Amino acid sequence: MTQTDVVFTLAGDVRHNSRAIKQLRLLRSLGLTVTIFALGQNPGVPFPGAGVQLNLLPRPSASGPRFFWNVHRMFLQAARNVPARVYHASDLYSLPAMRLAAKIHRSRLVYDARELYSHVAATAGRPWVRAFWFQAERRNIGATHAVFTVSDSIADRLSRSYRIARPAVLHNVPDMQHPLPAGTLRVRAGVDNDTVLILHQGHVQRNRGCFALVDAMHDIHGAAAVFMGGGSLMASLKRAVRERGLDMRVRFVDPVPPDELLPVTADADLGVTLLEDTCLNHRYALPNKLFEYLMAGVPVLASDLREMRAVVQDFNVGMVVHPSDRTALVRTLQRCVDDAEARQQWSINAAKVFDRYSWAIASERFTTAYRKLLA
């Protein structure tokens, strides 16, 4: 294949990944040519932006370490034949393959540690699985020329664990979009204007508080919860809603592309992100949806975890709660529903968050690192 400036890899579909889309657009703004290798289907659906070559690879049916090795082989086979100045691993799954490709072509290696991989929820109580991910990261991260991550706590942990320079923090913050046009979420979900709309957007997966939210809605009055997204547990969640007779209080709508998300989000009265404290990765997380809610002017109910608590309480943009405490979750959620004045003030305060957490700041860190690599 033709030589390119950057080979960019992700063990997922970049067309639906807001973090990857923003980084790819920054690479293009630097005048760089980019070849993408990612997992996905429907190759006829283009990447939302010009100037990149998108190559989709089939997603392996395996899971865990077997998935890792299958992805490694596919990415290495694809990337080793594409000479590039930089090989960018957008997750741990593709990092070993990109390290080898960079070694073959004597090029630079970049790693985006978008999770604390050895401490994700799937490793909780599974020390051998945790050790596998730790060793996979340890063996490869030392060969990198630049490392990015998503929160200060994860940056500090990676620096201590692997004795590397502290990674640059690129918070998962949307591009500033003001003013936002009217959304369509209420119409799509069938929620009238007199009902408080509680939004959970993003994937429905383990330990994200989705089932706790459904359970709490049994005792919440004057509100409807709307799940907007997909995920491996969506069918199970819908079944739980039917079995509990909560069809009028819990609704489901299809996800929307990242570039169209915020105007839809803006229809909500309250956004929830209820990661459960099952692992360090959750404890240190600053999820996309937290900043997406706030960018759309939507106050939040977030898990009482270190990084999220700092945002919510420092800027007074909502409330925090332990999602595993059902009594506290119901009480706090009902207070958010009942107190319209508080929600209005939280919404006003939301804009101040982006004085500290800004994509402009993150993009400058990203482009500065790339300019140094390519100097």
Side-chain angles (χ1 to χ4, degrees), residues 49-350:
V52 300
Q53 181 179 342
L54 175 61
N55 303 277
L56 294 178
L57 307 176
R59 183 179 183 86
S61 58
S63 61
R66 184 176 297 176
F67 174 84
F68 175 87
W69 288 117
N70 288 341
V71 167
H72 168 72
R73 285 191 291 270
M74 285 196 307
F75 279 133
L76 179 57
Q77 183 177 359
R80 69 186 305 164
N81 297 318
V82 185
R85 301 167 69 189
V86 178
Y87 291 85
H88 183 120
S90 199
D91 50 34
L92 178 56
Y93 297 100
S94 60
L95 177 59
M98 292 307 98
R99 179 181 66 83
L100 292 175
K103 183 178 180 180
I104 291 169
H105 295 287
R106 299 182 180 180
S107 302
R108 300 294 189 178
L109 176 64
V110 172
Y111 172 42
D112 188 10
R114 54 177 62 215
E115 310 274 0
L116 188 60
Y117 286 98
S118 60
H119 290 275
V120 297
T123 69
R126 304 169 71 189
W128 291 108
V129 176
R130 176 171 295 170
F132 172 86
W133 293 114
F134 179 83
Q135 290 300 327
E137 193 165 46
R138 184 185 67 82
R139 289 181 178 182
N140 294 281
I141 200 169
T144 58
H145 299 89
V147 180
F148 305 116
T149 192
V150 295
S151 75
D152 289 295
S153 293
I154 293 180
D156 292 337
R157 179 83 183 197
L158 292 174
S159 179
R160 290 195 307 269
S161 296
Y162 303 121
R163 297 182 181 180
I164 60 171
R166 190 176 187 273
V169 176
L170 310 179
H171 294 116
N172 285 319
V173 184
D175 288 324
M176 188 68 72
Q177 296 186 21
H178 289 302
L180 290 172
T184 59
L185 182 58
R186 285 185 178 274
V187 174
R188 297 173 66 198
V191 177
D192 62 59
N193 291 330
D194 295 326
T195 301
V196 173
L197 196 159
I198 302 166
L199 175 62
H200 180 284
Q201 66 188 30
H203 287 308
V204 174
Q205 294 179 349
R206 289 178 55 199
N207 306 123
R208 294 193 176 187
C210 300
F211 288 89
L213 177 59
V214 166
D215 181 57
M217 290 305 297
H218 186 272
D219 295 321
I220 300 297
H221 304 283
V226 176
F227 287 87
M228 181 170 63
S232 58
L233 296 181
M234 182 62 80
S236 298
L237 191 67
K238 289 181 177 179
R239 184 166 56 250
V241 169
R242 290 194 301 271
E243 291 173 351
R244 300 203 55 159
L246 293 173
D247 300 84
M248 298 304 295
R249 298 192 184 192
V250 181
R251 311 290 177 85
F252 298 89
V253 298
D254 293 333
V256 299
D259 285 347
E260 302 172 20
L261 178 63
L262 293 188
V264 179
T265 302
D267 264 3
D269 297 299
L270 182 73
V272 296
T273 174
L274 297 173
L275 288 175
E276 298 168 18
D277 190 12
T278 58
C279 60
L280 284 181
N281 187 57
H282 284 184
R283 200 171 301 166
Y284 295 163
L286 275 176
N288 287 11
K289 64 173 64 68
L290 175 68
F291 293 114
E292 289 164 350
Y293 295 144
L294 296 173
M295 181 68 73
V298 176
V300 297
L301 175 63
S303 300
D304 190 6
L305 299 172
R306 177 194 295 184
E307 295 279 352
M308 286 190 280
R309 180 173 61 244
V311 175
V312 174
Q313 293 186 343
D314 286 359
F315 294 94
N316 188 26
V317 291
M319 300 188 73
V320 295
V321 68
H322 292 289
S324 58
D325 185 339
R326 186 183 189 278
T327 301
L329 178 58
V330 170
R331 182 177 63 247
T332 307
L333 191 55
Q334 190 67 61
R335 178 185 169 187
C336 292
V337 169
D338 293 341
D339 198 338
E341 290 186 4
R343 292 201 312 273
Q344 183 179 20
Q345 186 59 54
W346 294 334
S347 179
I348 292 171
N349 294 343

